[in-house]
Amino acid sequence: MSITADGYLNGTRPAPDELLPSAVPVRFVTEEGTAADAPSEYAASSDDRLGEAYRRMVVARRFDQQASALTRQGRLAVYPSSRGQEACQVAGALALRQQDWLFPTYRDTAAVVSRGVDPVEVLTLLRGDWHCGYDPVATRVAPLCTPLATQLLHAVGMADALRRRGEDAVVMAFVGDGGTSEGDFHEALNFAAVFGAPVVFLIQNNQYAISVPLAEQTAAPALAYKGVGYGVRSEQVDGNDLVAVLAVLDEAVEHARSGHGPFLVEAHTYRLDGHTNADDPGRYRDEEEVRRWAAADPLPRLQAWLRTRGTLTDQDIDAAQAEAEALAADLRARIELDGPPDVLEMFDHVYTHPTPQLNEQRRSLETEVEGTEA
Amino acid sequence: MGTVTMAQALNAGLRDSLTEDDRVLVFGEDVGRLGGVFRITDGLRDEFGEQRCFDTPLAESGLVGFAVGLAMGGFRPVVELQFDAFAYPAFEQIASHVAKMRNRTRGRVPLPMVIRVPYGGGIGGVEHHSDSSEAYYAHTPGLKVVTPATAEDAYWLLRDAVRDPDPVVFLEPKKLYWSKEDAGLARRGAAPTGRAVIRRPGLDATLLAYGPSVPVAIDAAVEAARDGIDVEVVDLRTLVPFDDETVTASVRRTGRCVVVQEAHGFAGVGAEIVARVQERCFHSLAAPVIRVAGFDVPYPPPKLEHAYLPGVDRVLDAIHRLQFDDQPDVRHLAREAS
């Protein structure tokens, strides 16, 4: 295999007909947990791997609930919930190997936890601290990104860096439906395709950008079609069907890893909670719609599917729940253990060596702090 | 030792940086095949190959964001944003990520990268080709902001910027690209990033200038000498971090100070410098510190540029207002009376 200067295997960019997404979202499992007519080009995971995914989804759901509760108690500054999006969050983490990189948004804490990063560190920013908590280099997870779609370009640059270094690694970058309207989304797809970067873009289309519904966000037939114009292979998937999301992401990751360039996946899902704890979703969507999507909840769907196949026992379910409770208890116990941040540290990381001006300001604040404590 | 232009010095700086460190990548719009619209990257693609020096799609936010990822991945990107006013689409990436990545990762993800921006006026550029955008960058913590005024400085400040562990916005005065300098690039006068230099020693007043305003300040100092005023010219070279030490020492010696910038005066870098000087040198000052700046109008087109740009006369006028006769500045009152 030889990768050419533009990053593509043997210099071949995908042909136009290879780029188009399926006409309807790829689905393996119906909302009732029965088999759907799945397209043959995607392969479902082994039952073992799906069992692992189920366990992670239970943990992700509990983590999300706990974080929301901590916010109501005033112990987190803000929390953007991903309840209802666990199939995307877990499949995204599960499709990556250890050497791969993940570029999440602020709503993707469950995916970062699922990747194995300490939940307390994952919530550092949302507690109101000034830094991302975890070590991005050690965990290969970029800081949660708050500005929309900007991180997609970083993901493309990182993917290009990994390729240049000859590493067998890919990058996955998350974005929401609203983020696909940002210029950086389009610039990222374009750069990724031109340079043949090994990057997978996962759009979690949860139907709302805070309050603005998808129909007012775009006139595209589906967000997945946005990749086509850039020469990026694209697919759409039922984002509440873990089996389908994982199958498509596995294919997307393999596509990128084997030198075929970037891949765009749109996962149709739903944010069951508000944008954040500060939001009032009752102002822009009705209860009936929420009930409809709650019936499509990814967690019971996967559970029913695995039970029908006889690969998920009551003990497995209890064990997953126990693990989730343990994580929640640990989170409650440790979330404030490190105490308030050292205010003087805010000067330390602006530059590698603080400027004379910052040293001066640091001394000034130090005197102020000492005066307060005295 | 022959003559060298700033453009040639910058080209040599990039070439030597690419040679010194395999992690250095030079890219942007038209920097590959064409060698850049100002030819600063001339010949680099041929010499180092299209993996090291390459063109990107025409999207400034895209190329800066792409550079952020490359820097996170262990490379040292040097990007060219073609013109000052064309750099604005990249501003979110610069302000929200380039400047903050090190801080928001508690020092774990430094971003060693250089953003080169040709800036300033004096070349008769049509609209959107001559902005003085330094204040936007200097106001953003986390960025270093450098602007050379000589070929020798351009070479060494650029070499240092590429080696710097932190992101550097490297502002290249367009009108000085082709000014010839009778010097080689051996490091004689060039100080490290963050240090200003005294271009011309003097006893009676300090002229503070940077980038494109340095030659104007030197010419004004030569003229002032004919009037018997011995003016010291300080070339700041680095706006961030700011060299308070050199500036303060000079103003305390001379007791008088004029700041010269091409940019609009209001809320500009010169305003910050005046504040710093009066905070530190109040008891040494014999006159108010005066700014000579561009007017607060959108950067004018070529036909009006001469009236906008602070020239030698405007600087000389400011020098003469420094109350050498121990009288307050009352000329405008005299003018109104007549």
Side-chain angles (χ1 to χ4, degrees):
Chain A
M1 184 174 97
S2 75
I3 305 279
T4 52
D6 64 3
Y8 286 90
L9 179 69
N10 301 324
T12 312
R13 290 177 177 176
D17 60 347
E18 293 175 307
L19 302 174
L20 278 169
S22 311
V24 293
V26 174
R27 171 185 269 203
F28 278 69
V29 180
T30 67
E31 284 166 16
E32 292 73 38
T34 57
D37 294 330
S40 57
E41 64 259 45
Y42 300 102
S45 289
S46 67
D47 285 333
D48 270 3
R49 193 144 169 268
L50 294 176
E52 166 70 6
Y54 173 78
R55 187 187 65 76
R56 291 195 193 200
M57 280 171 69
V58 171
V59 171
R61 172 68 54 93
R62 186 65 187 94
F63 164 79
D64 189 87
Q65 284 169 336
Q66 185 58 67
S68 292
L70 289 169
T71 312
R72 284 192 297 275
Q73 296 161 15
R75 296 163 76 188
L76 290 183
V78 66
Y79 182 69
S81 169
S82 62
R83 192 167 68 89
Q85 301 177 214
E86 288 86 352
C88 303
Q89 298 277 308
V90 166
L94 207 51
L96 296 177
R97 294 194 225 162
Q98 200 175 357
Q99 70 266 33
D100 300 329
W101 271 79
L102 177 66
F103 281 71
T105 77
Y106 53 82
R107 199 180 301 289
D108 300 315
T109 46
V112 181
V113 169
S114 192
R115 188 153 163 77
V117 182
D118 182 346
V120 173
E121 293 183 353
V122 175
L123 292 175
T124 303
L125 263 182
L126 299 167
R127 279 172 60 199
D129 219 327
W130 47 269
H131 61 85
C132 71
Y134 50 88
D135 181 342
V137 179
T139 58
R140 296 213 158 194
V141 178
L144 302 175
C145 192
T146 308
L148 295 183
T150 51
Q151 79 284 1
L152 303 181
L153 284 159
H154 310 163
V156 178
M158 175 61 81
D160 193 52
L162 295 170
R163 180 178 64 80
R164 286 169 178 274
R165 282 156 44 167
E167 289 193 31
D168 175 28
V170 303
V171 177
M172 188 180 296
F174 287 0
V175 66
D177 42 299
T180 67
S181 295
E182 292 281 357
D184 278 2
F185 171 80
H186 298 269
E187 296 188 17
L189 287 179
N190 192 39
F191 270 67
V194 168
F195 293 118
V199 58
V200 174
F201 302 102
L202 174 61
I203 306 168
Q204 289 174 81
N205 171 8
N206 66 14
Q207 313 302 327
Y208 287 90
I210 303 190
S211 67
V212 177
L214 189 71
E216 292 172 38
Q217 192 66 243
T218 181
L223 296 172
Y225 287 91
K226 293 194 176 195
V228 177
Y230 297 105
V232 175
R233 195 178 150 193
S234 304
E235 187 53 281
Q236 55 177 332
V237 61
D238 181 338
N240 284 10
D241 174 2
L242 179 282
V243 185
V245 182
L246 192 52
V248 171
L249 286 180
D250 280 345
E251 167 71 20
V253 165
E254 177 51 31
H255 175 92
R257 202 184 297 283
S258 59
H260 291 88
F263 199 117
L264 174 71
V265 178
E266 177 193 12
H268 299 264
T269 183
Y270 195 77
R271 186 192 76 210
L272 289 172
D273 290 332
H275 166 64
T276 66
N277 52 295
D279 186 26
D280 175 10
R283 293 174 75 100
Y284 53 82
R285 63 189 197 187
D286 59 47
E287 280 304 309
E288 170 49 30
E289 179 186 291
V290 180
R291 265 197 301 278
R292 227 172 36 246
W293 277 97
D297 190 325
L299 200 47
R301 198 198 293 200
L302 182 62
Q303 191 189 70
W305 171 251
L306 293 175
R307 284 180 77 89
T308 309
R309 291 175 65 82
T311 58
L312 188 73
T313 64
D314 288 344
Q315 289 91 323
D316 294 333
I317 294 170
D318 290 346
Q321 204 55 52
E323 185 188 338
E325 288 306 327
L327 179 133
D330 176 61
L331 187 55
R332 287 192 302 273
R334 288 196 297 123
I335 191 74
E336 283 140 353
L337 265 192
D338 59 351
D342 172 9
V343 295
L344 294 175
E345 202 189 332
M346 78 170 132
F347 298 103
D348 292 355
H349 308 295
V350 184
Y351 298 95
T352 302
H353 306 290
T355 62
Q357 289 75 24
L358 280 181
N359 282 330
E360 208 171 280
Q361 291 167 24
R362 190 184 206 281
R363 280 193 297 276
S364 150
L365 180 60
E366 200 169 11
T367 311
E368 197 181 303
V369 170
E370 280 164 6
T372 314
E373 285 168 357
Chain B
M1 196 187 304
T3 34
V4 62
T5 64
M6 184 183 284
Q8 289 166 340
L10 290 165
N11 182 262
L14 290 174
R15 177 176 287 106
D16 293 347
S17 297
L18 282 159
T19 303
E20 180 182 78
D21 189 341
D22 286 345
R23 298 171 299 174
V24 175
L25 305 173
V26 173
F27 55 93
E29 295 150 12
D30 303 304
V31 305
R33 231 169 249 106
L34 182 67
V37 291
F38 292 104
R39 307 290 182 271
I40 305 301
T41 57
D42 192 30
L44 300 181
R45 181 175 179 261
D46 287 344
E47 192 172 336
F48 295 93
E50 58 186 79
Q51 282 291 316
R52 304 281 313 280
C53 176
F54 53 94
D55 293 314
T56 66
L58 211 163
E60 291 76 15
S61 184
L63 77 91
V64 171
F66 180 63
V68 168
L70 279 165
M72 290 176 81
F75 287 87
R76 289 180 170 252
V78 181
V79 306
E80 176 174 307
L81 298 179
Q82 207 160 70
F83 279 90
D84 32 51
F86 298 165
Y88 302 142
F91 197 72
E92 182 186 20
Q93 285 289 349
I94 294 172
S96 294
H97 294 296
V98 175
K100 291 178 181 165
M101 188 65 79
R102 188 175 200 289
N103 195 58
R104 61 202 276 266
T105 59
R106 216 175 191 171
R108 286 165 185 143
V109 184
L111 287 185
M113 57 187 281
V114 179
I115 300 173
R116 295 180 37 241
V117 187
Y119 88 122
I123 62 161
V126 293
E127 63 169 355
H128 307 305
H129 287 73
S130 295
D131 278 11
S132 300
S133 42
E134 65 268 27
Y136 307 131
Y137 304 111
H139 190 64
T140 306
L143 303 175
K144 291 183 177 173
V145 183
V146 171
T147 179
T150 69
E152 184 195 6
D153 267 3
Y155 177 83
W156 286 106
L157 287 171
L158 183 57
R159 292 294 305 274
D160 288 351
V162 178
R163 291 174 184 150
D164 203 293
D166 295 317
V168 178
V169 175
F170 196 89
L171 300 170
E172 302 171 0
K174 287 191 285 275
K175 76 170 185 192
L176 302 184
Y177 269 152
W178 307 285
S179 60
K180 289 196 173 70
E181 203 171 303
D182 231 359
L185 299 175
R187 191 167 202 154
R188 296 167 309 130
T193 302
R195 299 304 300 200
V197 65
I198 296 170
R199 288 276 171 226
R200 182 191 192 282
L203 295 171
D204 299 334
T206 298
L207 269 184
L208 298 175
Y210 58 88
S213 67
V214 172
V216 176
I218 290 171
D219 289 349
V222 170
E223 285 296 314
R226 290 184 189 149
D227 297 336
I229 305 174
D230 187 19
V231 174
E232 179 150 298
V233 177
V234 177
D235 174 359
L236 298 172
R237 302 204 276 205
T238 307
L239 302 181
V240 182
F242 190 76
D243 187 357
D244 280 312
E245 199 181 322
T246 301
V247 168
T248 304
S250 174
V251 177
R252 283 184 184 159
R253 272 195 308 275
T254 63
R256 290 174 169 84
C257 180
V258 173
V259 185
V260 190
Q261 67 177 32
E262 277 191 9
H264 324 294
F266 190 81
V269 168
E272 171 65 23
I273 296 172
V274 172
R276 304 188 78 80
V277 167
Q278 66 86 13
E279 280 168 1
R280 286 164 176 74
C281 310
F282 186 73
H283 291 291
S284 308
L285 286 170
V289 185
I290 298 175
R291 277 173 298 165
V292 179
F295 302 115
D296 294 322
V297 300
Y299 197 93
K303 287 182 175 178
L304 298 176
E305 199 177 37
H306 66 281
Y308 170 91
L309 283 173
V312 171
D313 285 349
R314 229 174 266 166
V315 178
L316 271 178
D317 188 48
I319 291 171
H320 284 292
R321 285 163 61 202
L322 289 172
Q323 302 179 20
F324 290 100
D325 52 3
D326 206 22
Q327 292 295 316
D329 182 10
V330 293
R331 288 174 316 151
H332 65 286
L333 297 177
R335 224 173 274 136
E336 279 163 21
S338 65

